[in-house]
Amino acid sequence: GCDSAITIALKILNIPQKKLNINACNSYTSPSGDYVWTQSGTYSDKLKNPKGCDTTVIVNLTIEEPSSASIQVKACAFYTSPSGKNTWNNSGNYTDTISNAKGCDSVITIDLTIQNSFADKKQTACGSMLSPSGKYKWTTSGKYIDTITNIRGCDSIITFDLNILA
């Protein structure tokens, strides 16, 4: 029942620190998963080491931004998007996404004009008709298709409903 004196050799260890330099797009989830950071800056996070002690992680974070661009494209029959994931054969406005120089999304708006032309013609001829391209000579009534180059250098596809008179 008497007091005892115990001498303890106590060594306080510095909490180990680890530094990370991170570049991320839009946001970054901390190593612990406890935080989501959306702005560039220096942040601190805590993890447990294998012995159960805290380890401080210093994160030097740079948030990179996505980019965007608009382009106008003229094509004859079809256009394949910059990413190669889409092919369009009708005029219109489309979007595509590729990585920019920083590795973040770059959204491209594409104003596409398809320059092939199409025409339907009813035609009557005596005996026969030579096609506009000169490749065909039609001698019977029926539906025929011929292709010539339009003023834009693209195909002009003409469908004839031809009536041959004898």
Side-chain angles (χ1 to χ4, degrees), residues 55-92:
T55 298
T56 300
V57 179
I58 303 298
V59 179
N60 293 314
L61 178 63
T62 302
I63 295 293
E64 304 290 353
E65 296 298 322
S67 58
S68 63
S70 295
I71 59 174
Q72 291 184 336
V73 177
K74 293 180 180 179
C76 283
F78 63 90
Y79 175 73
T80 299
S81 66
S83 70
K85 295 178 183 176
N86 303 293
T87 299
W88 301 296
N89 56 10
N90 292 312
S91 296

Side-chain angles (χ1 to χ4, degrees), residues 90-161:
N90 292 312
S91 296
N93 290 309
Y94 301 95
T95 58
D96 191 31
T97 303
I98 60 174
S99 290
N100 65 19
K102 303 279 185 174
C104 297
D105 285 348
S106 176
V107 178
I108 302 170
T109 301
I110 302 156
D111 179 7
L112 176 62
T113 302
I114 297 295
Q115 296 185 326
N116 280 351
S117 55
F118 302 89
D120 292 323
K121 295 191 177 240
K122 286 190 175 216
Q123 189 80 33
T124 300
C126 293
S128 68
M129 180 182 154
L130 184 62
S131 69
S133 68
K135 294 179 184 176
Y136 310 104
K137 182 177 181 180
W138 300 311
T139 58
T140 59
S141 296
K143 292 204 181 259
Y144 297 96
I145 296 176
D146 193 25
T147 303
I148 59 174
T149 302
N150 66 23
I151 61 172
R152 294 178 219 101
C154 296
D155 287 344
S156 179
I157 301 167
I158 307 166
T159 303
F160 289 94
D161 185 0

Side-chain angles (χ1 to χ4, degrees), residues 15-31:
I15 296 174
Q17 282 189 348
K18 183 174 183 178
K19 290 185 180 182
L20 298 175
N21 293 315
I22 302 290
N23 285 25
C25 297
N26 301 317
S27 67
Y28 176 73
T29 301
S30 68

